[in-house]
Amino acid sequence: MAVTGLLLIAFLLMHMFGNFKMFLGEEAFNHYAGWLKGETPDGGILYPILPAGAFIWVFRSVLVLAVILHIYSAVTLWMRAKAATPSAYKARKALAQTYSARTMRWGGVILAGVLIFHLAQFTVHSALTAGSFGATYAHSPYKMFVGEFQQWWMVVIYAVWMLAVAMHLRHGFWSAFATLGANTSPKAFRVLNACAWAIAILLYIGFIFAPVAVLVGWIH
Amino acid sequence: MNITLRVWRQANAQSEGRMVTYQVRDVSEDMSFLEMLDLLNEDLTIKGEEPVAFDHDCREGICGTCGVVINGTAHGRGNSPVATTTCQLHMRSFSDGAVIDVEPWRAGSFPVIKDLVVNRSAFDRIIQAGGYVSVNTGSAPDAHANAVNKRKADRAFDAATCIGCGACVAACPNHSGMLFTAAKITHLAMLPQGQPERGLRIKKMVSAHDEEGFGGCTNIGECAAVCPKEIPLDVIGQLNRDLISSLFSRDGK
Amino acid sequence: MATTSKTLPGADYFTLGNDIADTKAPAGPIEKKWSQRKFSAKLVNPANRRKLTVIIVGTGLAGGAAAASLGEAGYNVLNFCYQDTPRRAHSIAAQGGINAAKNYRNDNDSVYRLFYDTVKGGDYRARETNVYRLAEISANIIDQCVAQGVPFAREYGGLLDTRSFGGVQVQRTFYARGQTGQQLLIGAYQALERQIAAGTVKEYTRHEMLEVIVADGRARGIVARDMVTGAIETYLADAVVLATGGYGNVFFLSTNAMGSNVTAAWRAHRKGAYMANPCYTQIHPTCIPVHGETQSKLTLMSESLRNDGRIWVPKKVEDCEKDPRDIPEEDRDYYLERIYPSFGNLVPRDIASRQAKNMCDEGRGVGPAVKELDHDGNERMVRRGVYLDFAEAIGRLGKDAVASRYGNLFDMYAQITGEDPYSTPMRIYPAVHYVMGGLWVDYDLMSSIPGLYVGGEANFSDHGANRLGASALMQGLGDGYFVLPNTINDYLADQAKFEKIDESHPAVVEAVASVKERIEKLLSIQGTRTVDSIHKELGHIMWEYCGMERTEEGLKIAIKKIDALTEEFWTNVKVTGVNEDFNQALERAGRVADFLELGRLMCVDALHRRESCGGHFRAESQTEDGEALRHDDEFLYAAAWEYTGAGAKPVLHKEHLVYEAIELKQRSYK
């Protein structure tokens, strides 16, 4: 749970950083996208250690594996908790549980659902709402990005989704480090929680920045 | 003051339980919560009804026997200004006319015996798995043979104050027994006497914990919030750290 | 031959039996006796030990330690407790510390000094040989506990901290914050759980022992009730150890746990085990007072509070209802400082307790008035509390210094009473805390029933008429870890020669039948009074007549009242439910029935001992200054009572106390 979660957080940071290339213009962004897939003339990332275009599949495999293991661990924990709960309290009041902690499980399910849409949209290109890949966006992920996020309701969907992601991370980040044995003093508790907040806020702002920029016309 | 109680009544482990409402009159605010239950039971006995069964013994907050969920929090922590056991919660924490829900610890590993009484022997079995130092009577070296770092000795003590009441399990949304297990792990891990068995102990205790059917820890913190002895959540961090390092040791393989 | 003695007071209530001639302590100099006994005791071959079964009732410091140690030795141990886990035993509530003659402080401490202090503190009514042994093994107890991981308080250098406790002049008390008992018990519990895992000990929780099985003159097992199912079960063994704690709850209100009871010990007494010095009760002066009739238990506050707190009551009765802060200095009576100018607030426990009672009897008590019975049996409302005032200490030392010394106690007080002791004086009152009396045992801790051993507070041997602070934990663990495992083998070595018995043995059949019959009787009465109401009434009688101050007249009244109450109990008690269920009312009823019989014997014992010693204060025997006055010429013995049947007079056997290593002195605190 912890290891895969942290791996996914690391991916999100990279993803967010990549998105910032939107501000450098179409050429830079498209080059970056192509480079990841090994489509650029220089053979792309990690060429020639790996054949051109191989890296992206290794990368995707690791991510898919991480997601599967993450869900598997979550389901296992969920099942154990269910088995350990014979009947619910008639009255129950939480004293320490945060909203993020309480929504980890159903929140995770919702996140996964939107993730499928997101992949269908930007990776498989089967769920593009503002146009079709072949005609308008051919070989320009930049245009695709702009096209999709010029629709205000798409930005709203993403803003809500990213809020859910940020909340999931807020508890997830702290919890992952606690599980890995980093929380061994009250001070460590404070530091980990502060970091969790910082990373959740950073990711939220970082991810929502480019779509908002598209919407308000900074990027076009 | 007068109180309305809604109490969980359940004849035995096999039967269905339900909340039953009782009125308790002339409650003094100086009474402890359990004395208020005594008052209810005296009344029920005189009426020829069966009194409410609840576990209790020392009534000074140290034996760990008592424990019920009051208004949705273990030991009524949500009603108390300070960390408390049920026996040390006083009626002055409630107002006249209050409606109070009283339920047993609910967890699969703590089956109900009757009414508010549950079976917590799973905790004993976790200790049996390795919550001790293997030293036979008579084989001890002089008490001053080992000096103990003061900071570690204090941390060991903080963890050793656990009274095994089970509030942590009752409050945990996963019904995990991790705070209890981790308190013992941390107590012995901080002392030189606990070192030889440290790697083996954690493997055995954690697997005993899982075999007893407790849920997994997801670092929510409800356990520490209700703990009457204020065992900090970071003992679980210590457990996790020791567990990870034990995976690289040959103990128990 | 039992003859009625007209020379002893209260002789109408008992008969005099033979003296106890031999306590089985070996001859020779006192410091050699224990080694000598260990050497002379017969041994059991390690290969034979698992064939021998030992029942241990109780899982506190004595019982838990004995069960773990005998399990380690390889015996087949069956261990019983009424609680849901062995870790709940009431030893857990001890706060102060544990004494040991380690002399880590280089302050002249020694085994002999600990021995001397304990005998003197016991007002010369303890058995010298046992006390010396206790002092001798005290150092091993600390070693054992540290090795188990008991987190004693440590200094910055990493070595153990000690403090002076209970008025002794050396720093020999080891402690673990204010919860030494808990930490020591958890140590014993862990050792016990280790043996349970190893299979040498079988644990029976939520089992209450209701009868001891005595077959052919030997203890061969017990009858216990499974408190969850109500099943009456028989357990057979080669020896039985009772480590079932004290019976302070005979007073209803005490600092004992609600479940602490005398049943195991009393059942053994009824089967022939002598009960020794039952009237010796320790009353602790600094407890939180009773708040009303629904009070179920009293909470002890550490005696260390008397180091800085000043005890007072209003001079005028009409001031007792006032806010204490509004009572001017000249209207306050700092009575301990007035009566005992040199010791002041630090007089010994029994004196501080008795004077608090005197002040309240005069009508100058403070706090809520509570209902009680006076000497003539009339109800009256009395304020039972005196002030323990820290205003002067806070003024002198500052609030922070006071908080650092007593912060946790102040917090505890505030939580229970809802009052802030930093701004308003605390209220305190004495409460029953510990009983020095218990089942009579010899040097081996064997009772007068062969094969029945008794350890910890349940026996009588080590504290005489008064127990010193931090000695109860020492005795419990000493008995459990070191004494019993080295004496019981002497008995068990011969056990192979005895015939094995099974459940068809007449003694077993009789024991089971009597238990069932008694339960049926309790359930069949269906009267109008609750068990608790009778228990409370017994408590009132005991507290009034057999509490801090006892008189011949009062004790006779008490006996009469207890007889009437016993009659009331057996004809008018109401026990709900059935036996075949988890039935707490039934559990309590059985215990109160035994408390009634014990209470009567305590009064008889107190009546016959017309001297004051330690925790036993007879108004007829005091010095001009109101101090306890012993009569060594008449009463230098332990009174061991033999049960002779319901309603029959108990028989007194005297064990004359011989002091070879210590000279007798009268204590004085003026």
Side-chain angles (χ1 to χ4, degrees):
Chain A
M1 191 101 250
V3 173
T4 52
L6 290 178
L7 200 69
L8 293 170
I9 291 176
F11 164 71
L12 285 181
L13 284 169
M14 197 192 104
H15 187 345
M16 175 190 85
F17 188 71
N19 284 6
F20 284 144
K21 288 234 184 265
M22 283 299 289
F23 291 95
L24 298 179
E26 181 168 5
E27 200 178 321
F29 188 78
N30 287 350
H31 175 268
Y32 169 68
W35 179 72
L36 284 178
K37 294 182 188 167
E39 291 166 357
T40 48
D42 61 3
I45 186 169
L46 283 183
Y47 180 84
I49 294 174
L50 294 174
F55 167 78
I56 191 73
W57 289 104
V58 174
F59 191 72
R60 282 172 177 161
S61 314
V62 170
L63 283 179
V64 168
L65 193 65
V67 169
I68 290 172
L69 287 176
H70 197 73
I71 292 173
Y72 171 76
S73 315
V75 170
T76 308
L77 275 170
W78 203 341
M79 291 300 126
R80 276 185 63 187
K82 270 187 108 67
T85 311
S87 60
Y89 287 111
K90 302 294 158 196
R92 186 178 131 69
K93 193 166 94 189
L95 296 175
Q97 191 175 29
T98 56
Y99 189 74
S100 350
R102 191 156 69 79
T103 51
M104 284 307 271
R105 282 176 191 148
W106 283 111
V109 171
I110 294 166
L111 290 191
V114 183
L115 177 67
I116 291 167
F117 166 71
H118 175 68
L119 292 177
Q121 188 180 19
F122 287 109
T123 308
V124 184
H125 312 131
S126 61
L128 291 167
T129 53
S132 80
F133 187 73
T136 323
Y137 305 143
H139 304 295
S140 180
Y142 181 86
K143 283 208 176 71
M144 179 167 65
F145 192 108
V146 172
E148 292 297 303
F149 288 114
Q150 274 172 342
Q151 310 167 93
W152 65 267
W153 52 271
M154 184 59 72
V155 177
V156 170
I157 288 175
Y158 272 78
V160 173
W161 185 43
M162 288 320 297
L163 191 67
V165 170
M167 274 170 37
H168 196 78
L169 288 188
R170 213 289 303 146
H171 180 76
F173 184 88
W174 129 257
S175 182
F177 277 96
T179 300
L180 294 175
N183 175 41
T184 52
S185 67
K187 189 179 166 199
F189 178 87
R190 287 194 301 276
V191 169
L192 287 176
N193 266 299
C195 289
W197 272 103
I199 215 148
I201 292 169
L202 175 76
L203 278 172
Y204 187 74
I205 294 174
F207 270 117
I208 212 67
F209 202 47
V212 169
V214 170
L215 188 66
V216 298
W218 292 346
I219 299 175
H220 47 80
Chain B
M1 57 206 252
N2 298 321
I3 298 285
T4 302
L5 281 183
R6 293 193 299 225
V7 184
W8 183 259
R9 300 301 307 258
Q10 180 174 342
N12 53 50
Q14 288 76 39
S15 62
E16 291 282 309
R18 64 196 177 95
M19 299 295 271
V20 179
T21 304
Y22 299 102
Q23 306 296 325
V24 190
R25 307 209 168 275
D26 303 322
V27 175
S28 140
E29 61 172 22
D30 286 329
M31 281 182 185
S32 69
F33 196 83
L34 298 185
E35 284 168 352
M36 185 272 295
L37 289 182
D38 288 343
L39 194 63
L40 168 68
N41 279 347
E42 283 289 282
D43 195 38
L44 290 177
T45 306
I46 287 164
K47 286 185 195 154
E49 292 176 46
E50 244 196 283
V52 178
F54 62 93
D55 256 335
H56 62 103
D57 205 18
C58 79
R59 295 205 180 184
E60 51 186 277
I62 194 74
C63 75
T65 310
C66 68
V68 291
V69 171
I70 299 165
N71 285 342
T73 62
H75 291 306
R77 180 66 182 86
N79 286 90
S80 170
V82 291
T84 187
T85 53
T86 303
C87 63
Q88 294 295 290
L89 179 68
H90 283 70
M91 293 312 292
R92 70 180 72 91
S93 297
F94 300 90
S95 49
D96 190 15
V99 180
I100 306 173
D101 289 311
V102 188
E103 298 177 68
W105 289 167
R106 291 188 196 277
S109 311
F110 289 169
V112 171
I113 291 174
K114 185 176 182 177
D115 295 342
L116 304 172
V117 178
V118 298
N119 179 348
R120 287 167 288 191
S121 55
F123 272 5
D124 289 332
R125 292 188 289 273
I126 292 176
I127 299 296
Q128 280 161 28
Y132 46 74
V133 174
S134 295
V135 52
N136 282 3
T137 304
S139 56
D142 186 85
H144 272 180
N146 281 300
V148 185
N149 174 293
K150 170 89 167 135
R151 186 178 51 78
K152 287 191 168 179
D154 285 348
R155 185 146 190 253
F157 198 107
D158 289 339
T161 56
C162 170
I163 56 175
C165 65
C168 45
V169 175
C172 176
N174 299 314
H175 298 299
S176 172
M178 213 34 101
L179 192 71
F180 169 82
T181 310
K184 187 49 63 194
I185 291 287
T186 304
H187 163 204
L188 296 175
M190 290 298 110
L191 297 171
Q193 292 82 7
Q195 299 312 312
E197 296 169 277
R198 188 169 175 178
L200 191 55
R201 175 184 304 120
I202 186 147
K203 285 178 184 167
K204 284 161 71 179
M205 286 182 74
V206 170
S207 64
H209 168 276
D210 292 354
E211 278 164 27
E212 289 294 336
F214 291 101
C217 173
T218 57
N219 304 302
I220 290 168
E222 280 299 314
C223 50
V226 298
C227 177
K229 298 296 149 186
E230 300 181 294
I231 307 275
L233 198 57
D234 58 52
V235 296
I236 298 181
Q238 185 67 49
L239 175 143
N240 287 327
R241 178 175 288 202
D242 281 19
L243 185 62
I244 291 168
S245 44
S246 79
L247 298 178
F248 300 98
S249 83
R250 297 173 61 85
D251 290 321
K253 281 189 181 151
Chain C
M1 286 307 290
T3 53
T4 305
S5 164
K6 287 294 173 196
T7 59
L8 282 165
D12 296 343
Y13 297 90
F14 65 92
T15 54
L16 189 62
N18 298 333
D19 288 350
I20 296 170
D22 184 13
T23 63
K24 287 209 285 193
I30 196 154
E31 64 276 9
K32 295 272 194 286
K33 283 181 194 286
W34 180 228
S35 329
Q36 180 55 39
R37 180 60 192 137
K38 282 194 282 187
F39 181 72
S40 67
K42 291 184 281 291
L43 302 178
V44 180
N45 181 329
N48 287 336
R49 290 179 194 163
R50 67 170 187 278
K51 298 177 200 154
L52 293 168
T53 301
V54 180
I55 284 174
I56 298 177
V57 186
T59 58
L61 292 184
S69 303
L70 291 172
E72 287 160 9
Y75 295 103
N76 178 34
V77 177
L78 310 181
N79 189 208
F80 295 79
C81 66
Y82 73 78
Q83 298 92 341
D84 68 325
T85 144
R87 66 182 293 157
R88 311 266 189 240
H90 194 57
S91 306
I92 206 162
Q95 298 173 358
I98 176 166
N99 288 329
K102 277 283 195 187
N103 197 28
Y104 280 155
R105 292 279 171 179
N106 198 25
D107 59 359
N108 284 47
D109 199 11
S110 63
V111 167
Y112 187 86
R113 188 178 296 279
L114 175 54
F115 156 66
Y116 176 86
D117 287 346
T118 307
V119 170
K120 180 182 171 217
D123 220 357
Y124 304 94
R125 291 292 177 267
R127 186 191 292 154
E128 198 181 66
T129 51
N130 287 46
V131 179
Y132 191 90
R133 173 179 62 193
L134 179 62
E136 205 176 331
I137 60 180
S138 64
N140 304 86
I141 298 171
I142 301 300
D143 298 341
Q144 185 64 32
C145 294
V146 167
Q148 289 170 343
V150 170
F152 283 115
R154 287 178 186 269
E155 295 176 328
Y156 277 96
L159 298 180
L160 298 169
D161 192 15
T162 55
R163 59 187 176 191
S164 132
F165 199 81
V168 295
Q169 288 161 310
V170 291
Q171 285 180 271
R172 67 159 76 99
T173 305
F174 296 80
Y175 65 101
R177 293 189 198 160
Q179 38 188 267
T180 317
Q182 183 197 9
Q183 296 308 326
L184 296 175
L185 182 67
I186 297 300
Y189 160 74
Q190 289 173 189
L192 175 61
E193 293 297 322
R194 174 172 164 247
Q195 291 310 306
I196 294 171
T200 59
V201 178
K202 187 148 173 37
E203 186 66 42
Y204 296 88
T205 58
R206 294 199 196 267
H207 274 67
E208 182 161 29
M209 171 190 150
L210 294 177
E211 198 56 272
V212 58
I213 295 167
V214 181
D216 311 318
R218 293 173 182 277
R220 297 302 297 267
I222 63 168
V223 179
R225 179 172 177 272
D226 179 330
M227 293 156 74
V228 176
T229 65
I232 306 298
E233 298 165 354
T234 304
Y235 297 91
L236 298 174
D238 298 291
V240 176
V241 178
L242 299 186
T244 50
Y247 48 77
N249 273 345
V250 67
F251 291 87
F252 185 73
L253 287 180
S254 79
T255 64
N256 284 4
M258 300 301 287
S260 300
N261 67 82
V262 76
T263 291
W266 193 256
R267 295 285 114 194
H269 174 60
R270 287 177 63 117
K271 282 282 169 88
Y274 297 168
M275 178 65 93
N277 302 332
C279 78
Y280 290 163
T281 310
Q282 184 166 74
I283 293 171
H284 198 288
T286 52
C287 298
I288 298 176
V290 177
H291 61 66
E293 283 167 60
T294 53
Q295 179 114 21
S296 59
K297 121 122 212 166
L298 297 170
T299 304
L300 182 86
M301 305 262 288
S302 170
E303 214 168 355
S304 62
L305 289 168
R306 287 200 281 147
N307 290 334
D308 284 306
R310 296 181 72 196
I311 295 173
W312 62 276
V313 291
K315 282 185 180 163
K316 295 182 242 167
V317 174
E318 59 269 27
D319 281 353
C320 291
E321 275 178 56
K322 278 191 189 166
D323 184 325
R325 289 166 292 190
D326 297 338
I327 302 175
E329 202 58 35
E330 62 271 21
D331 287 339
R332 300 177 176 191
D333 179 11
Y334 295 91
Y335 58 90
L336 288 176
E337 298 171 28
R338 171 170 60 81
I339 306 170
Y340 308 96
S342 59
F343 272 79
N345 295 301
L346 293 174
V347 291
R349 287 178 178 177
D350 54 336
I351 296 176
S353 297
R354 210 162 52 240
Q355 290 299 355
K357 172 179 157 52
N358 291 342
M359 295 303 130
C360 297
D361 285 348
E362 285 175 23
R364 294 197 284 145
V366 296
V370 289
K371 192 162 73 180
E372 58 181 47
L373 296 174
D374 69 9
H375 245 59
D376 304 319
N378 303 316
E379 275 187 11
R380 64 179 173 195
M381 300 297 283
V382 186
R383 293 175 200 283
R384 290 285 174 198
V386 299
Y387 289 124
L388 177 61
D389 198 338
F390 282 83
E392 189 264 344
I394 290 171
R396 174 165 47 91
L397 304 163
K399 188 177 169 179
D400 290 345
V402 171
S404 74
R405 281 183 203 178
Y406 309 112
N408 60 335
L409 295 167
F410 279 31
D411 291 347
M412 183 169 86
Y413 180 86
Q415 194 177 359
I416 293 174
T417 63
E419 292 171 9
D420 173 23
Y422 291 102
S423 60
T424 182
M426 282 184 179
R427 289 175 293 110
I428 55 163
Y429 199 67
V432 173
H433 175 51
Y434 187 89
V435 291
M436 282 69 71
L439 291 175
W440 183 89
V441 288
D442 64 15
Y443 189 69
D444 285 355
L445 302 186
M446 186 155 82
S447 71
S448 49
I449 300 176
L452 180 73
Y453 288 77
V454 189
E457 191 180 348
N459 75 26
F460 89 109
S461 66
D462 294 358
H463 306 296
N466 178 48
R467 179 180 62 77
L468 283 187
S471 283
L473 303 184
M474 172 172 70
Q475 187 223 336
L477 287 179
D479 287 356
Y481 283 134
F482 298 108
V483 182
L484 283 165
N486 284 298
T487 57
I488 203 166
N489 45 291
D490 184 63
Y491 175 79
L492 290 171
D494 287 336
Q495 200 54 18
K497 298 176 205 151
F498 305 140
E499 216 178 305
K500 290 277 172 197
I501 65 167
D502 61 27
E503 296 197 7
S504 63
H505 191 285
V508 180
V509 174
E510 183 276 329
V512 172
S514 74
V515 166
K516 287 185 174 165
E517 189 190 340
R518 191 157 177 266
I519 289 172
E520 277 164 26
K521 171 77 179 156
L522 287 169
L523 288 166
S524 70
I525 299 167
Q526 291 301 326
T528 58
R529 288 196 60 180
T530 64
V531 175
D532 261 17
S533 80
I534 292 176
H535 193 178
K536 276 183 194 181
E537 191 174 332
L538 172 67
H540 280 306
I541 296 169
M542 295 302 294
W543 188 233
E544 179 64 27
Y545 303 105
C546 198
M548 283 180 273
E549 185 174 306
R550 295 135 180 206
T551 64
E552 179 163 347
E553 183 205 359
L555 288 163
K556 285 180 176 167
I557 296 172
I559 292 169
K560 218 176 269 172
K561 282 175 178 283
I562 293 171
D563 286 342
L565 189 61
T566 308
E567 174 71 19
E568 166 88 354
F569 178 90
W570 285 107
T571 52
N572 196 25
V573 76
K574 184 175 187 72
V575 183
T576 51
V578 294
N579 174 57
E580 291 71 26
D581 191 9
F582 186 85
N583 188 341
Q584 292 173 314
L586 178 63
E587 293 161 18
R588 277 203 294 269
R591 294 170 193 165
V592 170
D594 290 331
F595 276 137
L596 285 161
E597 293 180 17
L598 165 76
R600 189 183 195 281
L601 184 67
M602 287 172 73
C603 292
V604 171
D605 185 41
L607 181 63
H608 110 280
R609 188 173 285 275
R610 200 169 67 188
E611 65 160 351
S612 298
C613 57
H616 171 64
F617 186 83
R618 278 290 295 267
E620 298 92 338
S621 179
Q622 49 183 311
T623 64
E624 283 175 18
D625 305 322
E627 297 275 352
L629 181 63
R630 289 202 321 262
H631 293 294
D632 292 337
D633 50 340
E634 282 182 85
F635 294 104
L636 191 61
Y637 62 81
W641 298 93
E642 182 185 357
Y643 183 82
T644 54
K649 290 179 184 178
V651 176
L652 171 64
H653 299 275
K654 295 180 185 176
E655 179 202 329
H656 292 283
L657 298 170
V658 183
Y659 289 99
E660 290 170 345
I662 278 183
E663 183 196 348
L664 273 78
K665 285 184 181 145
Q666 193 85 27
R667 65 176 195 166
S668 168
Y669 290 95
K670 278 279 173 170

